[in-house]
Amino acid sequence: MTATPSDLLREAQTRLETLTARAEAGDLDRAIALLTDALRDGGVIQAFGTGHSEAFAMEIAGRAGGLIPTNKLALRDIVLHGERAAEVLTGSLEREPWVVDELMAVTPVGEKDVFVIASNSGVNGSIVGVALWAKEHGHPVIAVTSLEHTARVEPKHPSGKRLSEIADVVIDNLAPYGDSTLEVSDGIGVGAISSITAAFIAQLLTLGVSRAIADAGETPPLYISANIPGGDEHNSVLEDRYRDRIRRGA
């Protein structure tokens, strides 16, 4: 079988259309309400993902057109802001439950914050651990995961739980088991889709929260591009409202 660009476009387009229809039918409303309420109460949106799912957190926190009261957690924070040596940052770190205590110890979290956690598999130790930490400390959790994939793999956290079993709201990223949507030969998959659908979900959530705030007669706290005149000045004024509560790395 020869997979073509048109095949990949079809796989992506079909899923994006499904996500759009679900959003317009209200499937994201509860998540949007949790995020909006947190911001109105002075909270921050805490976004977390490991591996390729870190791209989802980057779509939520610190980008042009995105909400300013947002913070991106990353496993490297235990080196950048903690006491761990860089050698600990291996590909297997995302599977380790122990990393959570160190990560949250160096993360600024407020009482009204809400967590948005993305993981295609939803079973790795750090992902499940952060979700459990958030719930234990009274924070709502929104999960973005592949329901098809997570149902077919075993949890790696000692609790035996999946991200989808902890979260208050679960959003299916519609990725298939294994993430690949196409084959170039028997059993060899290509066309991973979870990053594409997760980015779209992040933008749907940002749009929904911004609309809710605007509909209430308020101005959504959104970034404008730093690469247009006045961008830095606009962004700095709003970032100052959340000084010491949000981080923006290089």
Side-chain angles (χ1 to χ4, degrees):
M1 174 183 178
T2 301
T4 68
S6 293
D7 293 330
L8 181 57
L9 174 62
R10 183 184 64 252
E11 294 290 342
Q13 183 173 347
T14 299
R15 287 173 170 82
L16 297 185
E17 288 175 347
T18 298
L19 289 170
T20 300
R22 290 182 178 181
E24 291 182 340
D27 285 12
L28 300 185
D29 286 0
R30 189 176 174 211
I32 290 168
L34 287 174
L35 297 170
T36 304
D37 289 346
L39 298 190
R40 285 177 173 155
D41 290 341
V44 164
I45 298 169
Q46 302 281 354
F48 181 54
T50 63
H52 287 95
S53 291
E54 187 177 345
F56 170 86
M58 294 174 70
E59 285 292 317
I60 290 288
R63 62 154 299 142
L67 293 160
I68 288 177
T70 52
N71 188 52
K72 180 174 74 71
L73 289 69
L75 295 182
R76 70 181 69 87
D77 290 348
I78 67 172
V79 173
L80 294 174
H81 305 288
E83 299 180 354
R84 283 283 177 174
E87 287 76 11
V88 76
L89 298 178
T90 66
S92 62
L93 185 60
E94 66 179 346
R95 299 180 179 179
E96 300 291 347
W98 63 259
V99 74
V100 173
D101 290 337
E102 293 187 30
L103 176 62
M104 300 316 299
V106 298
T107 300
V109 180
E111 181 182 355
K112 300 298 184 180
D113 292 357
V114 59
F115 282 68
V116 187
I117 303 175
S119 171
N120 193 58
S121 68
V123 296
N124 280 323
S126 62
I127 289 291
V128 172
V130 169
L132 287 171
W133 186 97
K135 291 297 296 179
E136 289 166 0
H137 288 78
H139 302 283
V141 174
I142 299 165
V144 177
T145 189
S146 166
L147 291 181
E148 180 178 336
H149 187 108
T150 198
R152 294 176 61 179
V153 291
E154 291 299 318
K156 296 181 174 67
H157 190 273
S159 67
K161 292 182 178 293
R162 298 173 174 82
L163 173 62
S164 60
E165 297 166 340
I166 301 166
D168 298 279
V169 178
V170 179
I171 302 171
D172 187 2
N173 68 15
L174 303 182
Y177 176 69
D179 209 354
S180 299
T181 57
L182 303 169
E183 288 186 3
V184 290
S185 62
D186 289 344
I188 300 178
V190 294
I193 204 72
S194 64
S195 295
I196 295 173
T197 55
F200 191 63
I201 290 167
Q203 294 305 321
L204 288 173
L205 293 174
T206 300
L207 172 62
V209 172
S210 301
R211 287 179 58 183
I213 294 173
D215 288 347
E218 305 168 28
T219 301
L222 294 165
Y223 280 106
I224 62 175
S225 174
N227 296 311
I228 64 174
D232 283 332
E233 293 77 7
H234 166 90
N235 297 337
S236 294
V237 168
L238 291 177
E239 282 184 334
D240 281 345
R241 298 179 185 177
Y242 301 93
R243 185 175 298 279
D244 301 325
R245 299 187 58 207
I246 62 176
R247 290 179 178 149
R248 296 294 180 257

